């Protein structure tokens, strides 16, 4: 490696950067919660609609119409949260979907599980299990899901049916309304919602339970209501995104700390607006010169700037490391000071520094556990790798079944149970998730205990 060479290991928008004189890492923070103009209050203000086409108004999902992307990009960069979301999916699934009817035993409602060959044949005609697995995940992330209700072709006179259901990827789906309507009236499907007006889209009316067979295709949007929020629910995990970002940064910090066995000496913070403004400047320069702008131009500038910072803070006989982050939406100008750049020395007590970072990660796990609505012992994110006792896990599982299943099950099953009621009105059956009772090992017979049933 030459003296001024810089190697960059990228992890999404994060990276660890190495030079002969210095090693540092940096992350891009999606939202600056300390800035009143870019904090949670504004980000949740997505009720304003935008004039669209064909007499419809787009209802953006998130302040920048990018809520699914924001949740996906933030969560899947974290080493723990995707696994937690999958465990929550599995907990709701239980032993899978089965048909039941509600009966009353001693005056109390109970589920009587049963089978129906006709309904099962219809369900299997559109791979209902894959549909439900996808719908659970959407509901876990965003407290909502969208399903395409497809009407069957006309059969016997007077008999109309729902042919099948299709899961709609939330990346593709947005609500819309007619300009004279208060409520959402349509669903728009496109693969290009990063722009407010994509080049191509398809619009479908929302499913009308009073006229269920009026449209060949309609969209049933099932959701949990969020207090004082229109149209879309507010994802419960949204308030924990900052903690998730902090926890995601910890492995990079520790990698930078241990790389080449040199201690981190500086923590450098820079605002994302600085980079946004630089991108705009480079784009304008390209317009003047007739060149095509590419992101590699900004990367080259970034490398040059980091070399300047490294040469300022380090020398051959004083190698050090820098931890670098980018803040969001700072209003000041482009100079380092005005843009909010800060260079703070890091305490060289490595033991305390590492313990602090681990404490941040543990606090983030607790915040995420509360936001996701699943006990840490069930999510596999117990403190410092310690396993909770069987009694604690059993209690957490029992409480989850008692209060954590029915409401999300209603949201997940709304479309499919609506179709069952329309297609099989005399059956009185619904689809639900069956959950077996969990028992302590000491309460089970020897042959039923896990140690004697490894598979």
């Amino acid at each position: 490696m030459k003296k001024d060479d810089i190697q960059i290991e990228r992890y999404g928008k994060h990276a660890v950067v190495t030079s002969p004189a210095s090693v540092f890492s940096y992350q891009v923070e999606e939202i600056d919660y300390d800035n009143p103009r870019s904090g949670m209050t504004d980000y949740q203000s997505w009720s304003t609609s935008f004039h669209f086409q064909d007499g419809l108004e787009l209802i953006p999902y998130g302040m920048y119409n990018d809520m699914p992307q924001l949740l996906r990009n933030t969560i899947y960069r974290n080493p723990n949260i995707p696994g937690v979301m999958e465990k929550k999916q599995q907990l709701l699934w239980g032993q899978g979907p089965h048909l039941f009817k509600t009966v009353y035993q001693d005056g109390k409602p109970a589920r009587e599980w049963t089978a129906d060959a006709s309904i099962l044949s219809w369900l299997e005609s559109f791979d209902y299990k894959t549909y439900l697995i996808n719908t659970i995940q959407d509901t876990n992330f965003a407290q909502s899901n969208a399903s395409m209700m497809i009407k069957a072709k006309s059969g016997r006179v007077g008999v109309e049916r729902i042919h099948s259901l299709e899961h709609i990827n939330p990346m593709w789906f947005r609500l819309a309304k007619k300009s004279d309507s208060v409520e959402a009236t349509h669903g728009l499907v496109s693969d290009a919602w990063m722009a407010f007006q994509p080049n191509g889209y398809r619009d479908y009316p929302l499913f009308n339970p009073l006229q269920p067979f009026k449209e060949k295709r309609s969209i049933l949007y099932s959701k949990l209501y969020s207090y004082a929020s229109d149209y879309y629910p507010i994802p419960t995990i949204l308030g924990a995104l900052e903690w998730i970002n902090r926890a995601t940064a910890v492995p990079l910090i520790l990698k930078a700390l241990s790389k080449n066995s040199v201690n981190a000496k500086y923590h450098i913070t820079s605002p994302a607006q600085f980079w946004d403004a630089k991108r705009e400047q480079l784009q304008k320069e390209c317009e003047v010169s007739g060149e095509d702008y590419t992101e590699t131009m900004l990367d080259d500038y970034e490398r040059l700037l980091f070399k300047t910072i490294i040469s300022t803070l380090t020398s051959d006989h004083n190698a050090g490391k820098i931890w670098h982050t980018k803040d969001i939406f700072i209003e000041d100008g482009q100079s380092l000071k005005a843009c909010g750049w800060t260079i703070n020395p890091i305490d060289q007590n490595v033991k305390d520094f590492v313990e602090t970072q681990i404490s941040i990660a543990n606090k983030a796990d607790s915040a995420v556990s509360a936001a996701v609505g699943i006990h840490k012992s069930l999510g596999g994110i117990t403190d410092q790798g310690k396993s909770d006792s069987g009694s604690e896990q059993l209690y957490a599982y029992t409480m989850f079944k008692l209060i954590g299943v029915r409401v999300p099950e209603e949201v997940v099953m709304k479309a499919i149970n609506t179709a069952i009621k329309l297609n099989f009105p005399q059956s009185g059956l619904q689809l639900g998730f069956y959950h077996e009772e969990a028992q302590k090992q000491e309460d089970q017979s020897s042959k039923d205990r896990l140690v004697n049933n490894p598979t």
Side-chain angles (χ1 to χ4, degrees), residues 410-443:
E410 287 285 335
V411 177
V412 169
M413 293 290 189
K414 184 174 181 178
I416 205 166
N417 278 332
T418 297
I420 290 175
K421 187 175 181 179
L422 292 171
N423 287 355
F424 308 93
Q426 305 303 319
S427 70
L429 298 180
Q430 300 179 68
L431 201 64
F433 295 112
Y434 176 72
H435 294 83
E436 290 184 350
E437 295 297 326
Q439 290 181 300
K440 293 182 180 179
Q441 291 290 287
E442 58 265 31
D443 293 338

Side-chain angles (χ1 to χ4, degrees), residues 46-52 56-62 65 173-178 181-186 188 193 196 206 230-232:
W46 60 63
S47 295
T48 302
S49 60
F50 291 81
H51 291 289
F52 206 56
L56 296 176
E57 295 180 357
L58 167 67
I59 302 172
Y61 191 12
N65 198 32
F173 175 76
R174 294 297 185 272
L175 290 170
K177 68 184 185 71
K178 294 180 179 179
S181 175
V182 176
E183 301 291 335
T185 60
H186 287 71
L188 306 180
W193 280 121
F196 277 87
L206 294 184
D230 295 331
Y231 309 119
Y232 304 98

